[in-house]
Amino acid sequence: MDKFGKLKELISSVEVDADKFYNKGNAAAGTRVRKAMQELKNLAQEIRNDVTSIKNSGK
C-alpha cells in the first residue's frame, strides 16, 4: 500500500504543472508533466508486479 500512496501523491503534485501547461501554455511545466508521467508509469508497473506476486503466492 505504500507504493499506492506514493502514486496518489505524485498525481496530486503534478496537477499544478498540468494546469500551467494545458491552460497557460507553459512549456517548462509540460516537461515536468512528462517527467512525472514517466515516474507514474514506472511506479504503476512496480505496483502491478507486486499485485501479481502476492496473488500468485496465495496470500
Side-chain angles (χ1 to χ4, degrees):
M1 277 307 277
D2 185 45
K3 288 181 185 178
F4 190 77
K6 288 180 185 177
L7 185 77
K8 289 176 18 179
E9 287 176 21
L10 187 55
I11 289 171
S12 66
S13 71
V14 76
E15 189 172 2
V16 172
D17 284 327
D19 179 58
K20 286 180 183 178
F21 176 72
Y22 286 110
N23 296 323
K24 298 175 184 168
N26 184 324
T31 301
R32 291 188 297 272
V33 169
R34 289 181 61 234
K35 181 181 179 205
M37 291 299 111
Q38 186 63 42
E39 291 175 24
L40 281 168
K41 176 185 168 188
N42 293 337
L43 189 53
Q45 186 62 49
E46 288 178 23
I47 292 170
R48 284 187 51 155
N49 292 341
D50 288 349
V51 168
T52 300
S53 175
I54 292 169
K55 183 183 78 164
N56 291 338
S57 71
K59 289 185 178 180

